[in-house]
Amino acid sequence: LFEGIIDDSDFYFTHSYRMHSESNINQTICNYQDDFIAGFELDNICGVQFHPELSQFNGLRLLSNFIDNF
C-alpha cells in the first residue's frame, strides 16, 4: 500500500481508535501519544486506520497502490 510514499508522511485521522497486534501482519506504525498500527497488509487483506480520501497526495497514492495491487 505504501509504495512510493516516503517515511513519516502525513495522513488524516479523525478518531481515537487504535489497533494493536502481536501477529506478523506487515504493519505500518503511527505514533500519537502511543504507538499503534495505522495500516497493515496480510495476504490479500489490507486496512488502514486513517482516511486516504482526505489525505491529499499521500492518500491518492495509497488509493492508486490499492487499485493496482489488490
Side-chain angles (χ1 to χ4, degrees), residues 3-62:
E3 182 181 331
I5 299 173
I6 62 172
D7 290 346
D8 298 327
S9 292
D10 293 325
F11 289 91
Y12 186 79
F13 288 80
T14 59
H15 55 75
S16 60
Y17 302 115
R18 295 171 185 246
M19 178 179 169
H20 296 277
S21 175
E22 305 273 333
S23 300
N24 182 11
I25 58 173
N26 192 23
Q27 57 199 15
T28 301
I29 302 296
C30 180
N31 181 281
Y32 185 76
Q33 299 175 345
D34 185 24
D35 285 346
F36 62 94
I37 298 171
F40 75 94
E41 298 176 39
L42 179 61
D43 299 325
N44 66 338
I45 300 169
C46 61
V48 294
Q49 291 264 25
F50 52 83
H51 291 272
E53 75 280 8
L54 300 175
S55 298
Q56 300 181 7
F57 175 79
N58 295 325
L60 290 174
R61 180 61 191 246
L62 185 132

